[in-house]
Amino acid sequence: HPKPVDIADLIQEVVGAFSDSPTGHRVHAEVLEGPVVASCDRGMISRVLQNLIGNATKYSPNCTDVTLRLEKRSETIRIAVR
């Protein structure tokens, strides 16, 4: 069920879980200052973020950087992985 979630905090939490990557990837977060709140299912969004990071580490060369970037544009939140 959707509830208010601070997406910036959630991204930091998920990125932290990838800090000891066995493939040597360095996973970083670029988030905005202060809360970025959205009404969503926290568990589902967490799973999506984990899958995005997992795919990025799986399909990029070992020991490279993977960055999750959070952007807010008026009423829209965008999360990019590079």
Side-chain angles (χ1 to χ4, degrees):
H1 294 246
K3 294 182 180 176
V5 174
D6 184 344
I7 302 298
D9 281 348
L10 182 57
I11 288 174
Q12 295 283 19
E13 180 182 308
V14 171
V15 165
F18 284 85
S19 62
D20 294 325
S21 171
T23 58
H25 289 93
R26 294 170 300 276
V27 182
H28 307 279
E30 293 180 3
V31 297
L32 305 168
E33 291 291 324
V36 178
V37 179
S39 180
C40 62
D41 182 322
R42 181 183 177 85
M44 293 296 269
I45 298 300
S46 177
R47 189 173 312 153
V48 168
L49 295 173
Q50 291 169 20
N51 287 340
L52 289 170
I53 295 171
N55 286 339
T57 59
K58 182 177 179 179
Y59 295 109
S60 63
N62 288 348
C63 301
T64 56
D65 290 341
V66 174
T67 304
L68 251 68
R69 181 183 174 120
L70 173 64
E71 300 172 354
K72 185 173 182 191
R73 297 180 183 167
S74 64
E75 298 298 315
T76 303
I77 294 173
R78 177 181 172 179
I79 300 170
V81 179
R82 55 180 177 110

